[in-house]
Structures are given as C-alpha cells and as structure tokens.
Amino acid sequence: MSDAVLVTGGAGFIGSNTAKALAAAGWRPVVFDSLAGGSRDVVRWGEFVQGDIRDEEALRAAMTAHKVTSVIHLAALTEVGLSMQRPDLFWDHNVAGTASLLRAMVACGVPRLVFSSSAAVYGRGRDLLDESLPTAPVSAYGDTKLAGERLIRDYCSLFGLSATALRYFNAAGAEADGALGERRERETHLIPLAIEAALGFGPPLTVFGDDFPTRDGSGLRDYVHVSDLARAHLAALADPPPAGRFEALNVGAGAGWTVLEVIAAIDRALGRPTPYVIGPRRAGDPAALVADPRRIRDRLGWRATESDLHHIVETAVRWRREANQPFPARVWPGALSKP
Ligand SMILES: NC(=O)c1ccc[n+]([C@@H]2O[C@H](COP(=O)([O-])OP(=O)(O)OC[C@H]3O[C@@H](n4cnc5c(N)ncnc54)[C@H](O)[C@@H]3O)[C@@H](O)[C@H]2O)c1
C-alpha cells in the first residue's frame, strides 16, 4: 500500500490542490480539517477526517488508523487583517495547533513534516527576499507562522523529526482542468475578490494603499500558481532533510506584480474593467514581498513553471466563469465563534 500523508487543512485552497497532486503522484492523502474555513466538497482525493488540530487525541487517532508516515501541515487561520484584531485566535490555531500536531507526531512515531510557512515571516518587505535575511514579522499572522517554524525546529532537534518549512509567497490561480479554484468562506485574497467585483458578484474592490514606494504606489507581491505550490510539496516530501534537521525554503516565482497590474490583467482576461476604490493601507501590509527562489531550486530542483501572472489570472477567471453565478453567502462557522 502507498504511504499515507496526513494533510491538515486539506479542505482549503492550497490543501485541496496538494491532496490532488499527492494522489496523482501515488501517495495516499488523508485530509484532516475542521471545516472552519474549508469546504467538504473539495476533499475528493483520499480519506477525510473532520477534526481540529488543537485536538491531539483526534490527530493521534487519525495517524494510527490511517498508518500515516508523514504530514503536510497547512491548517491555519490566514487573514492578516483579522490577525491584527484577534491575535489570540491566531496563537491558538496556528501555534497551539502546531504544538498539538507535533506532540501527536512524536507519540505516533511519524518522522516527517512539511509546514506551510509564509513570506509574512520576513516582515519588512523588499525585492528578492532570501532565507538568510533576518525574520521580523509585522503582523500577528506572521508572528504565529514564525513561532510555528521555531517550534518545529526545536522538535526536530529534540525528537529527531525532519521538517521543511515552505515559505509561500501569494498563492493564486486555479487548476487547468477546472476542478479546483480559490474560494473561501471569508475571502480576503486579491485575485478572487477582484474577479467577483468585475463580474458584479461582489462589491467594488478596495486597493489598500496607493502610496507605497513601488512603481505605481500599490503593494507589490510575488504570485505563485497553486499547481506550482502543490508540486513544491511533493518535492519536499520526496527529499526531506536528514533526521533532526529543519530547513526553510521560499516558494515564489521570483518576480513581483503590483495590485494595479493584477487588476489590469483581470480587466484584460474578462474584457471589462474591475471596479475598485483606493483605501488606506492595512496594518501589517509591507510594500513589497518578492521571493528569491534560488535555494529551493538548488536544494529540491523546484522552480515555478505556471506562475506567469497572465496564466494565473486566466485560470482563475476560467474557473470562476464556469460557476457563472454568485456563490451562496455562508456564515464562517468555526474560528471566530471559538476564542
Ligand atoms: N494563500 C496564500 O497565499 C498563503 C500564503 C502563505 C502561506 N499560506 C499558508 O498556507 C496554508 C493554507 O492556506 P490556504 O490559502 O489554503 O487557506 P484556506 O483558508 O483555504 O485553508 C485553511 C484550511 O485550514 C483549516 N483549518 C483552520 N483552522 C483549523 C484547525 N484548528 N483545525 C483543523 N483545520 C483548520 C480550514 O478549515 C481550511 O480548510 C495556511 O497555513 C496559510 O497560512 C497561504
């Protein structure tokens, strides 16, 4: 039987794409998700266990029942803005949740971990961030991702785990076959929000800040196609660091696009203008975050091949057009109501 990989957060955007890629590559994904923010209907590859990562017993039971040999840990709260209002929730889900997962891994003898970290650990952004730069998050979200990395590093040296933290830049796009796209209960990401606005399914987009020191004043980000990201997880699983070692690798395209350039690409793809208004900067948003992706290229042979902005936007638009109706408004049931 193929090796089972526990995919926490596998009912979310990146997790569902990763589970699909794992199954295609011959692994056995076991999705573990509370459905606080994800959706059951995107768990189509492998088994599903509904549970909360803060529940160590539930994790142990899932690891034992499914004979899990490695973990991809994506489950987290992810909204930077919310993290500035409710950092307590982020410490609980993202750090206490990661501690619970690590204890379960040690108890069940599961030695390998791939962790969803973020460019947010760098804090003050600039072009071509490399992994040797000091980390200095400027949001509570980034603080909790960095704390997760440090906790994992300590578990590696104490208990002989081997872990790769993938520091994703901005995940975006949709699978070319149209099976999976980006849709959250509380959407805050630029590309899906802009497409909703352009199609008239959502309110005009707010551009947070037009006075950053970038080429047009709007925030500059590195966008990485979700299929490229999914492939990075497979590469990390296939080639882990030695037992006892932790490593952090950027996963980005190595090029940045401003918010206004992304909007222009969406206008072109849809053949209509995206309505938007300029708002103030958001707390916790740096001017620029662009990856230097050389380390992951050298270490794992991974490079972005689908992360051209126009391809990202076209796949996202195609997936959203196929649905061609407003998504039903749903209440996000989980994290906010559970401090
Ligand atoms: N989307 C991005 O651009 C981006 C960038 C950098 C890092 N990341 C990281 O990647 C990971 C996945 O992000 P995403 O964009 O797919 O987010 P998402 O919100 O689509 O998915 C997160 C999933 O985690 C689940 N979850 C949350 N708290 C949980 C808990 N306590 N127990 C069990 N499940 C829980 C949610 O139900 C959801 O399915 C996160 O760790 C995020 O911090 C994302």
Side-chain angles (χ1 to χ4, degrees):
M1 198 196 295
S2 52
D3 274 10
V5 184
L6 194 76
V7 184
T8 75
F13 172 49
I14 302 168
S16 55
N17 280 276
T18 301
K20 185 178 181 205
L22 283 169
W27 296 85
R28 194 157 50 87
V30 178
V31 169
F32 186 96
D33 197 298
S34 63
L35 300 182
S39 178
R40 176 68 181 88
D41 61 13
V42 298
V43 185
R44 290 182 230 148
W45 296 272
E47 304 284 331
F48 176 57
V49 179
Q50 184 166 0
D52 194 301
I53 53 165
R54 295 167 298 173
D55 181 348
E56 187 187 331
E57 274 308 309
L59 284 167
R60 286 191 200 204
M63 288 177 191
T64 308
H66 295 280
K67 300 187 170 47
V68 165
T69 56
S70 40
V71 175
I72 299 181
H73 176 33
L74 302 109
L77 303 188
T78 65
E79 283 176 60
V80 173
L82 178 62
S83 81
M84 305 306 273
Q85 297 157 11
R86 292 297 308 270
D88 56 323
L89 295 176
F90 283 68
W91 286 101
D92 193 25
H93 286 259
N94 297 3
V95 181
T98 298
S100 155
L101 175 71
L102 290 165
R103 286 193 302 271
M105 288 177 69
V106 170
C108 296
V110 178
R112 268 158 61 187
L113 176 64
V114 178
F115 173 58
S116 297
S117 189
S118 167
V121 300
Y122 293 113
R124 308 230 169 278
R126 65 170 213 199
D127 259 356
L128 295 184
L129 293 152
D130 73 66
E131 296 86 343
S132 66
L133 289 169
T135 46
V138 292
S139 66
Y141 167 70
D143 280 337
T144 63
K145 284 286 159 185
L146 184 59
E149 283 195 9
R150 290 183 171 158
L151 194 56
I152 292 166
R153 188 190 55 200
D154 285 349
Y155 264 74
C156 288
S157 48
L158 279 169
F159 300 107
L161 303 185
S162 125
T164 306
L166 297 178
R167 293 179 176 168
Y168 316 155
F169 284 63
N170 284 51
E175 278 246 298
D177 68 6
L180 294 168
E182 188 171 11
R183 175 192 174 192
R184 297 181 185 78
E185 296 284 340
R186 284 163 49 96
E187 190 52 79
T188 57
H189 289 73
L190 171 63
I191 292 176
L193 285 178
I195 295 173
E196 293 304 284
L199 291 175
F201 294 146
L205 182 74
T206 302
V207 175
F208 296 109
D210 66 349
D211 57 352
F212 287 109
T214 61
R215 45 186 178 254
D216 60 21
S218 63
L220 183 84
R221 295 289 180 273
D222 180 319
Y223 294 89
V224 56
H225 194 284
V226 71
S227 302
D228 278 337
L229 258 186
R231 241 180 348 95
H233 293 85
L234 299 186
L237 263 193
D239 190 356
R245 294 289 296 278
F246 167 88
E247 67 184 348
L249 302 172
N250 286 340
V251 193
W257 300 93
T258 68
V259 174
L260 294 178
E261 288 166 347
V262 172
I263 293 173
I266 291 172
D267 292 352
R268 265 196 303 280
L270 279 168
R272 64 173 91 175
T274 303
Y276 68 88
V277 294
I278 304 289
R281 293 183 187 189
R282 268 185 319 197
D285 267 349
L289 287 172
V290 179
D292 177 341
R294 276 177 299 181
R295 187 182 284 184
I296 190 168
R297 201 177 298 163
D298 296 345
R299 174 59 189 94
L300 298 177
W302 177 94
R303 64 177 67 225
T305 58
E306 296 191 51
S307 297
D308 168 72
L309 179 66
H310 298 287
H311 177 66
I312 286 176
V313 164
E314 264 162 31
T315 54
V317 161
R318 194 185 319 140
W319 174 80
R320 185 61 187 92
R321 263 193 161 150
E322 271 160 25
N324 199 30
Q325 56 185 344
F327 289 135
R330 289 189 288 178
V331 179
W332 197 45
L336 277 179
S337 58
K338 266 190 258 160

